[in-house]
Amino acid sequence: METIRLHKGLDLRLKGEAQKKVLQTLEAEVVSVKPSDYRNMVPKLLVAEGDAVKAGQFVFQDKKRPQIGFSSPVSGVVKAIVRGEKRKLLAVEIASDKETQYVQFEPLSVSKASRQEIQKVLLESGLWACIIQRPYGIIANPEDTPKAVVISAFNSAPLAADINFSLKNDADAMQLAVDALAKFTSGKVYVNLSAENGNGSPLNLLRNVEKTMFKGPHPTGNVGVQINHLCPIGKGEVVWTVQPQALAAIGRLLSKGIYDVSRMVAVAGPRALDPGYVKCVPGTPMSFFMKAAGVLEDEKLYGQEVGVRYVSGNPLCGENVGADGSLGFYDDTVTFLTEGNYRELFGWAKPFRMKKFSTSRSYFSWLAPKKKYEADTNVNGGERAFIVSDVYGKVLPMDIYPVYLLKAILAGDIEKMEQFGIYEVIGEDFALCEYVDPSKIEIQKIVDQGIDLMLKEMA
Amino acid sequence: MNWILRTMDKMRPTFSKGGKLGWLHSTYDAFETFAAVPATTTSGKVHIKDCVDIKRVMIVVVMALMPAFCFGMWNTGDQHAMAFGLQWGFWMKVWYGFYRILPLILVSYIVGLGIEFAVAQARGHEVNEGYLVTGFLIPLIMPIDVPLWVLALAVAFAVIFGKEIFGGTGMNIWNPALLARAFVFFAYPSTITGDTVWIGGLGKHADQVVDGFSGATPLAQLADTGTCPDFMQMFIGNIPGSFGETSTIAILLGAVLLLWTGVASWKIMVSCVAGAIAVGTLAVGFDASLTHLVMGGFAFGAVFMATDPVSSAQTETGKWIYGFLIGAMCIILRLFNPGYREGMMLAILLMNTMAPLIDWCVVRKNIRRREKRAVAK
């Protein structure tokens, strides 16, 4: 097995990592399906309040690509349809049954089934949404034949779920899924393992795939970074990516004929009292995770009351969903962070800031490389223009000039964006660039803005 | 300490939009964020951020300038005492230097920050802290006798035409501090060239000078007489010159801090020295090229000016080329330009101009590589 070593990047050590144990919890009563989980998708609602739905039944579909639908993960009754400004659909809330009723699809024998048959059941069940294409990180186009399917078998982001634990019993289901996906691509199915603990990964058991070890700090686990080293994407090329927990769901669909997207979710973060794992479906409300892990409510930083931020995802790439929000479709981590809404007197001028981590040697956190930090959401400064030029490249292990790409995006120059590699990146790959940036620029937003522009221009 | 926060809470409404002094919003904001890191929280998908900010980066540079500044105070007094045959003790010399440099620093900050605040206010932006460094650099690269009104004009020119018209810190093409010096050099050459400007009071009281004292900088001595002070003396910096540029050892102390904290690029510093030695060796031999490293503004330029992250090359490969060419160009100007003995300022400004071109070539290679990859299949 080949090992690819990446030297650029940064492993952040944060307090509140999820312990490898399953937390006891009650069933979630209401589950929501949110259009905002899916990039570049305009929803068309298919259910009304009071309708009974089964798990695997469409709740809404994509107006632009009606064959792609989005299913309810549970069975129950549509309790509410939540709309925002201009009647924008925000969420469909479903009061879930005690016992889940599934829409029964026909199980397939993967070795015999054709691409068309597999595609049909993936589309009909709503599991197609699990397949994400690069460029742009949007749901794959069923008509495409990707040049490769790339699967990252590990999360390298801080506090993210450990797939070796969360999917340890799902190797068989994942095997079915990779065999099925192999029928879609003209190239190979790549499975990328962590050099640190990849041998113990359930994905290490997969056969008929091209396995590669990746060694190095975050973002080595980001599939975009791996693609950049295995099969870089040029203009007109498409690579598909699927997350491991989605592989398991695809496997279950193919073998049992049910839409079962339940997964082990890591509940982590410095404000979680008892961080661990829970089994649940996407759309599960934050209150469920709060009950499971417990939230440290009252905390003071620098003498000031600070709240809690509820993030669906990890601290470097997640959605701030609030206490009333719910788990995103693609997420397997929930993080309870400390809101940084405090003011720190002469913070930037202090010689030491023991509570804070910095990559800069103008602070002294490099003296304690093993120390874990209680990161909070304070920006730690004001937004400025790009000033320091060498910090971004140090945390982006890709053959890309980050600042040039970002400036091309800001200028809206499509040709330059292409030249600088917009096809190869999505926001999460730039998360660390934003983390280390002393100018406090919202880099991930700029990348997203660039991708939106590309989608608009290419449509 | 919480009384500071409470006082700021009380004052804020007055300075907010709609308040009595709402038009001073940016100015108030600058002071408030100076006193306390604001309570803003992240709003994107990245929820946590490193605690380093531009204020911290800039204060590191100011601290790195301190050894050169302190040495400059003593040296100014020492040179003055030598020129006029005064028997001054150590503290008297330091006091003289302090007394002479203080007005320069005040003028630099008052004029520069005044313009910065006004522009930020007009644009509704936050005030950039870049001028904290620029405003300190400018007095350090001026002769001590520079008239204050000339300095004020130079600062205004540098801030307005060097920075603000491009959009402020981070957008400028040239190093603003060097631009201020270049302004004086071209507009008021008599205040910054010649043998009498480098030592306090020498221009005005030339009649009281000790017999045989020249006041010429080592570079001028070398060009005119072919001799210069010995290497160690120049390395320590007890020679005439701009206020902060003379002591290579003090500058190296600052360089250690800049490199240790990663604020300045070691690639630029190393390649700058390499460029100077390479060209110097070809032209005058290795040993003579080493003396050029400790003369004039070479060390100060290589450590504090060439490494300015905004006006230098942005790509890592580009930094090697950029630094090398600065060193090379500086020595070429010094050796082959009969009119003017110092080359560092113009070398850096020239390479500031060229830096985008260097980067363009480097980045072009990356683009080609991507295009080739697409064609290969």
Side-chain angles (χ1 to χ4, degrees):
Chain A
M1 204 186 309
E2 194 195 353
T3 301
I4 295 181
R5 277 164 204 277
L6 305 177
H7 298 285
K8 293 172 175 177
L10 175 66
D11 277 331
L12 287 172
R13 283 168 213 283
L14 303 184
K15 276 186 189 164
E17 206 171 308
Q19 302 296 312
K20 292 194 176 48
K21 62 180 179 188
V22 182
L23 302 170
Q24 292 302 314
T25 180
L26 300 167
E27 288 290 308
E29 282 165 8
V30 178
V31 166
S32 24
V33 189
K34 295 176 291 181
S36 59
D37 288 347
Y38 312 98
R39 187 179 188 96
N40 194 43
M41 194 274 295
V42 185
K44 186 184 170 203
L45 194 61
L46 298 174
V47 292
E49 259 175 53
D51 284 2
V53 290
K54 286 183 174 177
Q57 182 182 337
F58 283 178
V59 174
F60 46 80
Q61 64 187 166
D62 188 349
K63 253 185 201 164
K64 288 182 269 184
R65 297 187 288 182
Q67 72 270 41
I68 299 174
F70 305 89
S71 299
S72 167
V74 293
S75 63
V77 178
V78 177
K79 186 179 157 234
I81 291 179
V82 188
R83 290 184 184 274
E85 277 174 38
K86 296 185 188 166
R87 294 189 36 81
K88 185 185 172 192
L89 180 62
L90 297 182
V92 177
E93 291 183 351
I94 297 159
S96 99
D97 293 341
K98 287 251 146 29
E99 194 83 355
T100 309
Q101 307 276 316
Y102 291 98
V103 178
Q104 188 61 49
F105 301 97
E106 199 165 330
L108 290 175
S109 156
V110 173
S111 54
K112 288 178 200 148
S114 67
R115 168 181 171 157
Q116 278 70 28
E117 285 171 302
I118 296 168
Q119 185 169 316
K120 189 163 162 272
V121 70
L122 284 174
L123 282 168
E124 279 175 357
S125 63
L127 261 187
W128 187 264
C130 292
I131 303 173
I132 297 292
Q133 70 157 63
R134 294 297 180 100
Y136 312 137
I138 55 173
I139 296 169
N141 182 356
E143 271 89 65
D144 283 342
T145 298
K147 73 166 183 170
V149 176
V150 184
I151 293 148
S152 170
F154 64 108
N155 291 319
S156 55
L159 301 183
D162 182 353
I163 286 168
N164 290 12
F165 177 75
S166 64
L167 286 170
K168 62 183 178 209
N169 302 323
D170 292 300
D172 295 338
M174 290 193 284
Q175 181 66 52
L176 287 177
V178 291
D179 288 343
L181 287 168
K183 305 200 175 197
F184 288 81
T185 170
S186 56
K188 293 178 194 161
V189 177
Y190 293 91
V191 169
N192 303 320
L193 298 152
S194 158
E196 261 141 56
N197 55 15
N199 290 328
S201 168
L203 286 94
N204 192 27
L205 305 172
L206 297 182
R207 300 172 305 274
N208 317 326
V209 293
E210 176 83 9
K211 283 183 229 165
T212 314
M213 287 277 189
F214 275 81
K215 190 176 170 63
H218 184 61
T220 37
N222 280 10
V223 71
V225 171
Q226 296 165 357
I227 294 171
N228 186 264
H229 290 273
L230 291 172
C231 50
I233 305 166
K235 192 175 181 171
E237 293 176 329
V238 175
V239 169
W240 286 0
T241 72
V242 184
Q243 292 172 315
Q245 86 261 12
L247 284 181
I250 292 174
R252 286 191 289 267
L253 173 71
L254 296 171
S255 63
K256 295 184 201 156
I258 56 168
Y259 178 85
D260 177 9
V261 285
S262 61
R263 62 191 62 159
M264 289 290 241
V265 173
V267 190
R271 294 296 279 271
L273 288 171
D274 183 21
Y277 287 77
V278 284
K279 188 157 192 187
C280 63
V281 292
T284 301
M286 282 295 136
S287 55
F288 171 87
F289 301 105
M290 285 146 78
K291 268 181 231 151
V295 180
L296 184 57
E297 292 284 358
D298 300 316
E299 176 137 276
K300 279 189 169 184
L301 269 179
Y302 305 98
Q304 295 154 67
E305 293 276 343
V306 281
V308 185
R309 176 174 292 194
Y310 301 91
V311 178
S312 170
N314 66 63
L316 286 180
C317 187
E319 204 72 50
N320 175 8
V321 293
D324 303 325
S326 58
L327 180 71
F329 182 74
Y330 299 101
D331 294 331
D332 59 358
T333 308
V334 166
T335 318
F336 298 158
L337 289 170
T338 300
E339 279 289 8
N341 54 336
Y342 57 82
R343 284 181 294 167
E344 190 187 359
L345 268 179
F346 300 109
W348 63 275
K350 286 182 196 165
F352 301 97
R353 273 165 122 176
M354 302 305 276
K355 290 179 188 166
K356 299 201 174 221
F357 173 79
S358 178
T359 52
S360 163
R361 287 213 172 166
S362 63
Y363 291 105
F364 294 90
S365 40
W366 57 271
L367 285 173
K370 290 273 156 76
K371 184 176 169 182
K372 290 189 173 180
Y373 292 85
E374 248 180 73
D376 60 65
T377 65
N378 193 296
V379 176
N380 294 315
E383 186 164 342
R384 298 290 181 267
F386 286 105
I387 292 175
V388 182
S389 59
D390 61 350
V391 292
Y392 311 100
K394 283 182 190 162
V395 290
L396 184 71
M398 292 168 104
D399 182 21
I400 276 176
Y401 285 103
V403 177
Y404 283 83
L405 176 58
L406 292 169
K407 287 186 176 173
I409 294 171
L410 289 172
D413 186 336
I414 302 274
E415 197 189 333
K416 281 267 153 58
M417 283 155 70
E418 276 182 350
Q419 291 177 341
F420 291 131
I422 187 79
Y423 296 124
E424 302 179 56
V425 300
I426 61 170
E428 65 170 6
D429 302 322
F430 277 71
L432 273 174
C433 295
E434 181 168 338
Y435 174 83
V436 298
D437 182 13
S439 294
K440 311 295 175 193
I441 298 166
E442 295 194 308
I443 291 175
Q444 205 169 141
K445 264 188 199 162
I446 297 176
V447 177
D448 284 346
Q449 182 191 326
I451 289 173
D452 286 343
L453 182 66
M454 293 301 289
L455 285 166
K456 208 173 124 206
E457 293 292 319
M458 299 291 148
Chain B
M1 289 297 268
N2 270 338
W3 63 271
I4 301 181
L5 292 178
R6 278 200 298 275
T7 318
M8 290 196 302
D9 286 338
K10 269 188 214 150
M11 280 164 73
R12 193 176 305 112
T14 320
F15 289 97
S16 300
K17 274 178 194 143
K20 249 187 208 166
L21 297 171
W23 56 279
L24 278 176
H25 170 254
S26 285
T27 311
Y28 173 75
D29 192 64
F31 284 107
E32 191 182 273
T33 56
F34 202 83
V37 176
T40 17
T41 53
T42 50
S43 64
K45 286 183 165 178
V46 179
H47 297 275
I48 54 177
K49 296 211 181 195
D50 196 297
C51 67
V52 70
D53 65 349
I54 296 296
K55 283 190 177 68
R56 184 73 171 192
V57 174
M58 295 298 174
I59 204 74
V60 167
V61 185
V62 171
M63 282 168 62
L65 284 165
M66 280 303 160
F69 174 74
C70 294
F71 186 89
M73 284 198 292
W74 173 79
N75 189 47
T76 301
D78 189 56
Q79 294 292 328
H80 179 80
M82 264 199 286
F84 293 95
L86 305 168
Q87 299 300 315
W88 279 356
F90 174 81
W91 287 110
M92 189 57 206
K93 289 171 183 169
V94 171
W95 167 250
Y96 177 81
F98 175 74
Y99 163 76
R100 293 302 312 277
I101 195 69
L102 190 65
L104 270 67
I105 290 181
L106 288 178
V107 166
S108 166
Y109 273 127
I110 291 169
V111 174
L113 283 178
I115 296 170
E116 285 263 356
F117 278 67
V119 171
Q121 199 70 64
R123 289 199 181 122
H125 284 182
E126 283 187 42
V127 177
N128 272 317
E129 37 285 285
Y131 196 77
L132 286 181
V133 172
T134 311
F136 199 53
L137 279 171
I138 291 176
L140 263 57
I141 54 173
M142 293 288 174
I144 194 73
D145 264 356
V146 68
L148 293 180
W149 64 273
V150 171
L151 180 71
L153 272 181
V155 167
F157 175 83
V159 174
I160 296 171
F161 292 98
K163 210 153 87 170
E164 298 305 345
I165 59 164
F166 295 107
T169 306
M171 315 281 191
N172 45 310
I173 298 176
W174 298 288
N175 183 313
L178 273 182
L179 211 60
R181 196 177 199 276
F183 176 85
V184 179
F185 178 69
F186 287 111
Y188 302 96
S190 64
T191 61
I192 202 166
T193 48
D195 291 344
T196 58
V197 300
W198 306 109
I199 292 167
L202 200 60
K204 273 187 199 152
H205 309 288
D207 48 331
Q208 298 164 21
V209 170
V210 175
D211 284 343
F213 189 88
S214 93
T217 61
L219 270 170
Q221 292 177 35
L222 186 67
D224 297 340
T225 64
T227 58
C228 60
D230 70 273
F231 185 88
M232 254 347 255
Q233 191 191 344
M234 292 194 291
F235 184 70
I236 292 165
N238 191 14
I239 47 173
S242 296
F243 184 83
E245 73 172 15
T246 57
S247 171
T248 309
I249 189 160
I251 292 163
L252 283 179
L253 280 177
V256 168
L257 182 62
L258 288 183
L259 295 180
W260 178 250
T261 53
V263 167
S265 164
W266 63 272
K267 291 172 189 161
I268 294 178
M269 288 191 203
V270 168
S271 60
C272 190
V273 171
I277 292 178
V279 173
T281 308
L282 287 179
V284 290
F286 181 72
D287 287 348
S289 76
L290 288 184
T291 47
H292 273 282
L293 303 185
V294 296
M295 283 196 287
F298 182 87
F300 196 86
V303 172
F304 294 109
M305 298 294 187
T307 56
D308 170 6
V310 176
S311 57
S312 67
Q314 307 284 302
T315 54
E316 296 306 302
T317 320
K319 282 175 184 161
W320 288 111
I321 305 167
Y322 164 87
F324 190 89
L325 289 178
I326 286 180
M329 194 58 72
C330 170
I331 303 301
I332 291 172
L333 285 172
R334 281 181 180 183
L335 294 177
F336 302 109
N337 169 17
Y340 178 52
R341 281 82 175 231
E342 175 56 292
M344 200 54 179
M345 172 182 83
L346 293 175
I348 296 173
L349 285 175
L350 178 71
M351 291 321 295
N352 281 172
T353 318
M354 295 297 170
L357 179 66
I358 298 171
D359 284 333
W360 187 86
C361 297
V362 174
V363 169
R364 190 71 221 153
K365 273 187 89 176
N366 180 275
I367 295 173
R368 288 257 166 76
R369 202 153 55 227
R370 195 163 283 116
E371 279 166 358
K372 250 186 215 155
R373 213 169 61 193
V375 175
K377 281 171 289 12

